PDB file of all heavy atoms in Angstrom:
ATOM      1  N   GLU A  29     177.622 -39.473  54.421  1.00  0.00           N
ATOM      2  CA  GLU A  29     177.062 -38.485  53.480  1.00  0.00           C
ATOM      3  C   GLU A  29     175.852 -39.066  52.738  1.00  0.00           C
ATOM      4  O   GLU A  29     174.869 -38.396  52.487  1.00  0.00           O
ATOM      5  CB  GLU A  29     178.158 -38.139  52.481  1.00  0.00           C
ATOM      6  CG  GLU A  29     177.751 -37.191  51.399  1.00  0.00           C
ATOM      7  CD  GLU A  29     178.468 -35.860  51.550  1.00  0.00           C
ATOM      8  OE1 GLU A  29     178.962 -35.560  52.638  1.00  0.00           O
ATOM      9  OE2 GLU A  29     178.508 -35.147  50.560  1.00  0.00           O
ATOM     10  N   VAL A  47     145.952 -30.169  65.142  1.00  0.00           N
ATOM     11  CA  VAL A  47     146.286 -31.548  65.539  1.00  0.00           C
ATOM     12  C   VAL A  47     147.788 -31.822  65.406  1.00  0.00           C
ATOM     13  O   VAL A  47     148.463 -31.223  64.574  1.00  0.00           O
ATOM     14  CB  VAL A  47     145.513 -32.616  64.706  1.00  0.00           C
ATOM     15  CG1 VAL A  47     144.045 -32.672  65.083  1.00  0.00           C
ATOM     16  CG2 VAL A  47     145.675 -32.412  63.211  1.00  0.00           C
ATOM     17  N   ARG A  56     146.540 -45.812  47.971  1.00  0.00           N
ATOM     18  CA  ARG A  56     147.169 -46.391  46.787  1.00  0.00           C
ATOM     19  C   ARG A  56     146.230 -47.362  46.092  1.00  0.00           C
ATOM     20  O   ARG A  56     145.306 -47.920  46.699  1.00  0.00           O
ATOM     21  CB  ARG A  56     148.449 -47.135  47.179  1.00  0.00           C
ATOM     22  CG  ARG A  56     149.535 -46.191  47.739  1.00  0.00           C
ATOM     23  CD  ARG A  56     150.754 -46.953  48.212  1.00  0.00           C
ATOM     24  NE  ARG A  56     150.350 -48.036  49.082  1.00  0.00           N
ATOM     25  CZ  ARG A  56     150.822 -49.277  48.983  1.00  0.00           C
ATOM     26  NH1 ARG A  56     151.722 -49.601  48.105  1.00  0.00           N
ATOM     27  NH2 ARG A  56     150.375 -50.207  49.812  1.00  0.00           N
ATOM     28  N   GLY A  60     149.898 -50.612  43.798  1.00  0.00           N
ATOM     29  CA  GLY A  60     150.848 -49.841  44.595  1.00  0.00           C
ATOM     30  C   GLY A  60     151.001 -48.404  44.131  1.00  0.00           C
ATOM     31  O   GLY A  60     151.599 -47.589  44.841  1.00  0.00           O
ATOM     32  N   GLU A  64     144.468 -41.617  42.421  1.00  0.00           N
ATOM     33  CA  GLU A  64     143.988 -40.259  42.145  1.00  0.00           C
ATOM     34  C   GLU A  64     142.486 -40.347  41.975  1.00  0.00           C
ATOM     35  O   GLU A  64     141.993 -41.114  41.145  1.00  0.00           O
ATOM     36  CB  GLU A  64     144.590 -39.759  40.834  1.00  0.00           C
ATOM     37  CG  GLU A  64     145.878 -39.023  41.016  1.00  0.00           C
ATOM     38  CD  GLU A  64     146.298 -38.379  39.707  1.00  0.00           C
ATOM     39  OE1 GLU A  64     146.766 -39.142  38.834  1.00  0.00           O
ATOM     40  OE2 GLU A  64     146.138 -37.154  39.554  1.00  0.00           O
ATOM     41  N   PHE A  72     146.524 -40.447  54.771  1.00  0.00           N
ATOM     42  CA  PHE A  72     145.940 -40.736  56.076  1.00  0.00           C
ATOM     43  C   PHE A  72     147.051 -40.577  57.108  1.00  0.00           C
ATOM     44  O   PHE A  72     148.180 -40.995  56.864  1.00  0.00           O
ATOM     45  CB  PHE A  72     145.411 -42.175  56.116  1.00  0.00           C
ATOM     46  CG  PHE A  72     144.336 -42.407  55.094  1.00  0.00           C
ATOM     47  CD1 PHE A  72     144.666 -42.763  53.789  1.00  0.00           C
ATOM     48  CD2 PHE A  72     143.005 -42.233  55.421  1.00  0.00           C
ATOM     49  CE1 PHE A  72     143.679 -42.956  52.836  1.00  0.00           C
ATOM     50  CE2 PHE A  72     142.005 -42.414  54.473  1.00  0.00           C
ATOM     51  CZ  PHE A  72     142.348 -42.779  53.181  1.00  0.00           C
ATOM     52  N   GLU A 101     149.659 -28.576  49.090  1.00  0.00           N
ATOM     53  CA  GLU A 101     148.684 -28.003  50.027  1.00  0.00           C
ATOM     54  C   GLU A 101     147.704 -29.099  50.384  1.00  0.00           C
ATOM     55  O   GLU A 101     147.014 -29.623  49.496  1.00  0.00           O
ATOM     56  CB  GLU A 101     147.880 -26.892  49.323  1.00  0.00           C
ATOM     57  CG  GLU A 101     148.713 -25.768  48.784  1.00  0.00           C
ATOM     58  CD  GLU A 101     149.070 -24.787  49.882  1.00  0.00           C
ATOM     59  OE1 GLU A 101     148.189 -24.481  50.693  1.00  0.00           O
ATOM     60  OE2 GLU A 101     150.243 -24.364  49.919  1.00  0.00           O
ATOM     61  N   ASP A 189     134.275 -29.599  43.230  1.00  0.00           N
ATOM     62  CA  ASP A 189     135.333 -28.607  43.035  1.00  0.00           C
ATOM     63  C   ASP A 189     135.907 -28.120  44.358  1.00  0.00           C
ATOM     64  O   ASP A 189     137.022 -27.617  44.419  1.00  0.00           O
ATOM     65  CB  ASP A 189     134.808 -27.408  42.241  1.00  0.00           C
ATOM     66  CG  ASP A 189     134.593 -27.812  40.798  1.00  0.00           C
ATOM     67  OD1 ASP A 189     135.102 -28.900  40.426  1.00  0.00           O
ATOM     68  OD2 ASP A 189     133.915 -27.072  40.065  1.00  0.00           O
ATOM     69  N   ASP A 199     132.569 -51.102  57.469  1.00  0.00           N
ATOM     70  CA  ASP A 199     132.385 -52.379  58.114  1.00  0.00           C
ATOM     71  C   ASP A 199     133.745 -52.784  58.675  1.00  0.00           C
ATOM     72  O   ASP A 199     134.692 -52.922  57.911  1.00  0.00           O
ATOM     73  CB  ASP A 199     131.904 -53.372  57.049  1.00  0.00           C
ATOM     74  CG  ASP A 199     131.571 -54.702  57.656  1.00  0.00           C
ATOM     75  OD1 ASP A 199     131.318 -54.744  58.870  1.00  0.00           O
ATOM     76  OD2 ASP A 199     131.599 -55.700  56.914  1.00  0.00           O
ATOM     77  N   GLU A 212     154.816 -63.581  68.073  1.00  0.00           N
ATOM     78  CA  GLU A 212     154.695 -63.556  69.520  1.00  0.00           C
ATOM     79  C   GLU A 212     153.380 -62.926  69.960  1.00  0.00           C
ATOM     80  O   GLU A 212     152.941 -61.923  69.394  1.00  0.00           O
ATOM     81  CB  GLU A 212     155.866 -62.719  70.052  1.00  0.00           C
ATOM     82  CG  GLU A 212     156.133 -62.871  71.511  1.00  0.00           C
ATOM     83  CD  GLU A 212     157.407 -62.124  71.889  1.00  0.00           C
ATOM     84  OE1 GLU A 212     157.435 -60.882  71.764  1.00  0.00           O
ATOM     85  OE2 GLU A 212     158.373 -62.784  72.296  1.00  0.00           O
ATOM     86  N   THR A 235     154.253 -61.878  40.666  1.00  0.00           N
ATOM     87  CA  THR A 235     153.413 -63.080  40.787  1.00  0.00           C
ATOM     88  C   THR A 235     151.928 -62.761  40.907  1.00  0.00           C
ATOM     89  O   THR A 235     151.094 -63.658  40.809  1.00  0.00           O
ATOM     90  CB  THR A 235     153.796 -63.855  42.065  1.00  0.00           C
ATOM     91  OG1 THR A 235     153.539 -62.980  43.179  1.00  0.00           O
ATOM     92  CG2 THR A 235     155.259 -64.255  42.053  1.00  0.00           C
ATOM     93  N   PRO A 262     172.168 -65.000  74.915  1.00  0.00           N
ATOM     94  CA  PRO A 262     170.756 -65.218  75.272  1.00  0.00           C
ATOM     95  C   PRO A 262     170.019 -63.935  75.633  1.00  0.00           C
ATOM     96  O   PRO A 262     168.871 -63.737  75.225  1.00  0.00           O
ATOM     97  CB  PRO A 262     170.827 -66.174  76.465  1.00  0.00           C
ATOM     98  CG  PRO A 262     172.127 -66.890  76.304  1.00  0.00           C
ATOM     99  CD  PRO A 262     173.065 -65.938  75.625  1.00  0.00           C
ATOM    100  N   ILE A 273     154.344 -61.490  57.348  1.00  0.00           N
ATOM    101  CA  ILE A 273     153.602 -61.449  56.085  1.00  0.00           C
ATOM    102  C   ILE A 273     152.397 -62.382  56.181  1.00  0.00           C
ATOM    103  O   ILE A 273     152.477 -63.456  56.791  1.00  0.00           O
ATOM    104  CB  ILE A 273     154.499 -61.819  54.884  1.00  0.00           C
ATOM    105  CG1 ILE A 273     153.765 -61.590  53.567  1.00  0.00           C
ATOM    106  CG2 ILE A 273     155.022 -63.246  54.972  1.00  0.00           C
ATOM    107  CD1 ILE A 273     154.652 -61.647  52.331  1.00  0.00           C
ATOM    108  N   GLY A 310     162.881 -54.304  39.103  1.00  0.00           N
ATOM    109  CA  GLY A 310     162.722 -55.734  39.368  1.00  0.00           C
ATOM    110  C   GLY A 310     163.257 -56.189  40.715  1.00  0.00           C
ATOM    111  O   GLY A 310     163.256 -57.379  41.016  1.00  0.00           O
ATOM    112  N   PHE A 323     167.633 -51.027  69.702  1.00  0.00           N
ATOM    113  CA  PHE A 323     168.701 -51.975  69.359  1.00  0.00           C
ATOM    114  C   PHE A 323     169.106 -52.742  70.614  1.00  0.00           C
ATOM    115  O   PHE A 323     169.131 -52.178  71.721  1.00  0.00           O
ATOM    116  CB  PHE A 323     169.919 -51.236  68.787  1.00  0.00           C
ATOM    117  CG  PHE A 323     169.732 -50.877  67.340  1.00  0.00           C
ATOM    118  CD1 PHE A 323     169.166 -49.660  66.976  1.00  0.00           C
ATOM    119  CD2 PHE A 323     170.083 -51.767  66.337  1.00  0.00           C
ATOM    120  CE1 PHE A 323     168.964 -49.331  65.646  1.00  0.00           C
ATOM    121  CE2 PHE A 323     169.890 -51.448  64.997  1.00  0.00           C
ATOM    122  CZ  PHE A 323     169.328 -50.228  64.648  1.00  0.00           C
ATOM    123  N   GLY A 326     174.888 -53.596  73.083  1.00  0.00           N
ATOM    124  CA  GLY A 326     176.114 -53.828  72.321  1.00  0.00           C
ATOM    125  C   GLY A 326     176.037 -53.287  70.900  1.00  0.00           C
ATOM    126  O   GLY A 326     177.031 -53.288  70.186  1.00  0.00           O
ATOM    127  N   GLU A 344     166.149 -63.974  49.325  1.00  0.00           N
ATOM    128  CA  GLU A 344     166.755 -63.541  50.559  1.00  0.00           C
ATOM    129  C   GLU A 344     167.119 -62.057  50.520  1.00  0.00           C
ATOM    130  O   GLU A 344     167.692 -61.575  49.538  1.00  0.00           O
ATOM    131  CB  GLU A 344     168.006 -64.396  50.818  1.00  0.00           C
ATOM    132  CG  GLU A 344     168.620 -64.119  52.127  1.00  0.00           C
ATOM    133  CD  GLU A 344     169.458 -65.309  52.591  1.00  0.00           C
ATOM    134  OE1 GLU A 344     169.298 -66.427  52.083  1.00  0.00           O
ATOM    135  OE2 GLU A 344     170.264 -65.093  53.475  1.00  0.00           O
ATOM    136  N   SER A 351     174.886 -52.198  56.206  1.00  0.00           N
ATOM    137  CA  SER A 351     174.373 -52.284  57.585  1.00  0.00           C
ATOM    138  C   SER A 351     172.849 -52.264  57.642  1.00  0.00           C
ATOM    139  O   SER A 351     172.264 -52.619  58.655  1.00  0.00           O
ATOM    140  CB  SER A 351     174.886 -51.096  58.402  1.00  0.00           C
ATOM    141  OG  SER A 351     174.294 -49.888  57.915  1.00  0.00           O
ATOM    142  N   TYR A 371     158.247 -44.262  48.521  1.00  0.00           N
ATOM    143  CA  TYR A 371     157.494 -44.665  47.321  1.00  0.00           C
ATOM    144  C   TYR A 371     158.277 -44.269  46.080  1.00  0.00           C
ATOM    145  O   TYR A 371     159.082 -43.346  46.111  1.00  0.00           O
ATOM    146  CB  TYR A 371     156.065 -44.094  47.337  1.00  0.00           C
ATOM    147  CG  TYR A 371     155.928 -42.602  47.122  1.00  0.00           C
ATOM    148  CD1 TYR A 371     155.703 -42.085  45.836  1.00  0.00           C
ATOM    149  CD2 TYR A 371     155.985 -41.703  48.186  1.00  0.00           C
ATOM    150  CE1 TYR A 371     155.540 -40.716  45.629  1.00  0.00           C
ATOM    151  CE2 TYR A 371     155.828 -40.336  47.978  1.00  0.00           C
ATOM    152  CZ  TYR A 371     155.604 -39.852  46.709  1.00  0.00           C
ATOM    153  OH  TYR A 371     155.442 -38.502  46.498  1.00  0.00           O
ATOM    154  N   SER A 380     158.810 -39.877  52.710  1.00  0.00           N
ATOM    155  CA  SER A 380     158.087 -38.936  53.562  1.00  0.00           C
ATOM    156  C   SER A 380     158.257 -39.370  55.028  1.00  0.00           C
ATOM    157  O   SER A 380     158.523 -40.537  55.304  1.00  0.00           O
ATOM    158  CB  SER A 380     156.623 -38.972  53.111  1.00  0.00           C
ATOM    159  OG  SER A 380     155.765 -38.816  54.171  1.00  0.00           O
ATOM    160  N   SER A 392     167.829 -36.412  75.664  1.00  0.00           N
ATOM    161  CA  SER A 392     167.307 -37.661  75.102  1.00  0.00           C
ATOM    162  C   SER A 392     165.782 -37.579  75.099  1.00  0.00           C
ATOM    163  O   SER A 392     165.197 -36.667  75.703  1.00  0.00           O
ATOM    164  CB  SER A 392     167.741 -38.843  75.972  1.00  0.00           C
ATOM    165  OG  SER A 392     167.014 -38.792  77.191  1.00  0.00           O
ATOM    166  N   GLY A 429     168.555 -35.189  47.722  1.00  0.00           N
ATOM    167  CA  GLY A 429     168.043 -33.844  47.979  1.00  0.00           C
ATOM    168  C   GLY A 429     166.768 -33.917  48.780  1.00  0.00           C
ATOM    169  O   GLY A 429     166.347 -34.999  49.207  1.00  0.00           O
TER     170      GLY A 429
END
Side-chain angles (χ1 to χ4, degrees):
E29 177 112 340
V47 288
R56 295 176 310 134
E64 269 189 285
F72 299 86
E101 301 279 318
D189 288 346
D199 185 22
E212 196 174 64
T235 62
I273 188 168
F323 280 90
E344 186 157 342
S351 68
Y371 71 94
S380 145
S392 71

